[in-house]
Amino acid sequence: IRLISIGHYGMSPYGGGTGTGTDTGLLERGPALLREMDRLGMLLDVTHTSDRSVREALAIFKGPLLATHSKVRALCPREGQVPDDINQALVDRDGGMGASMDTWMLWPDGAPDWGTNSWPNNRKYFPRSAVTLDDLVNHMEYVNRLAGDALHSGIGGDTDGQGGVECAPADVDSVVDYHRVADILRRRGYSEPDVENIMWRNWVRLFDRALPAR
């Protein structure tokens, strides 16, 4: 195990995850886990972790950070999205955010709260055609503007975990369609090196640096 997230849905033994609100902090066992992760040179994934838990973790854990599959809260204001200060921490530690393809959290009007969240029922709220990969790239671009470069954004995938094709962007039927992200980036004026960084090089660079342990 080389990478750990201290939360997911609900409470973990270490802190708050998605569905526990943004102000749930670390639990008693959280700091010890983070210190041991730091000692071993592991990576911390801030995805699915409450804001307060992440902020408290950053005061303890000094190693590499990333959000493997998440979104920008400023574009879709929901719990579970990454707020600006945590995105800035990802950039400052030379990590990054992988934008996931869960339309529930790409829909610009914002999803209902997590208590009513049921991915197979997305269509009750919006048609599949309402969210495309252009919406996904908007989240990447937000991180790029925050960072001042294209070195901290990437693809977070998650089409298998979010409910399959029915809950993926309208122009994604399988992972084969991820290449369409590159086409959108080029259309928006990104250079070929920046396209390659976002599509795969940013993740490779991070893991080359952080793995194996220091």
Side-chain angles (χ1 to χ4, degrees):
I1 299 174
R2 299 312 323 278
L3 181 155
I4 292 177
S5 176
I6 56 176
H8 195 246
Y9 286 99
M11 296 298 299
S12 81
Y14 309 102
T18 302
T20 65
T22 58
D23 294 326
T24 305
L26 295 176
L27 300 182
E28 184 178 355
R29 295 170 63 183
L33 172 68
L34 291 161
R35 285 191 288 269
E36 183 65 3
M37 289 172 62
D38 229 353
R39 187 186 73 81
L40 294 171
M42 300 180 73
L43 296 95
L44 174 63
D45 181 4
V46 303
T47 306
H48 281 300
T49 309
S50 69
D51 296 359
R52 182 177 172 188
S53 287
V54 174
R55 291 172 184 138
E56 291 176 355
L58 296 183
I60 300 167
F61 181 83
K62 304 304 180 183
L65 300 174
L66 71 164
T68 53
H69 58 294
S70 197
K71 314 285 194 317
V72 172
R73 187 177 297 164
L75 298 182
C76 183
R78 275 288 143 205
E79 177 192 352
Q81 316 282 66
V82 182
D84 283 357
D85 66 308
I86 294 175
N87 263 319
Q88 188 63 59
L90 296 172
V91 170
D92 291 344
R93 296 202 194 181
D94 203 20
M97 188 191 80
S100 69
M101 302 197 185
D102 173 2
T103 56
W104 197 260
M105 295 190 290
L106 287 171
W107 184 41
D109 290 340
D113 66 44
W114 288 100
T116 60
N117 186 354
S118 178
W119 286 298
N121 294 324
N122 280 12
R123 300 293 77 79
K124 292 195 306 183
Y125 300 97
F126 57 92
R128 187 173 180 224
S129 59
V131 178
T132 70
L133 285 174
D134 273 289
D135 296 294
L136 181 87
V137 173
N138 289 343
H139 287 252
M140 295 174 168
E141 287 204 307
Y142 189 96
V143 174
N144 296 343
R145 288 193 297 271
L146 189 71
D149 56 42
L151 299 175
H152 303 90
S153 59
I155 291 177
D158 204 27
T159 46
D160 56 340
Q162 74 205 9
V165 170
E166 179 64 15
C167 298
D171 36 2
V172 172
D173 290 322
S174 75
V175 295
V176 174
D177 295 313
Y178 286 11
H179 75 88
R180 298 176 187 272
V181 171
D183 298 334
I184 295 169
L185 292 167
R186 293 185 186 104
R187 190 171 71 240
R188 295 190 184 191
Y190 281 80
S191 68
E192 202 59 33
D194 281 345
V195 171
E196 290 188 1
N197 283 331
I198 294 168
M199 293 300 292
W200 63 277
R201 285 190 187 277
N202 289 340
W203 287 136
V204 171
R205 186 177 60 255
L206 171 61
F207 290 122
D208 275 349
R209 185 180 75 252
L211 306 176
R214 307 186 285 283

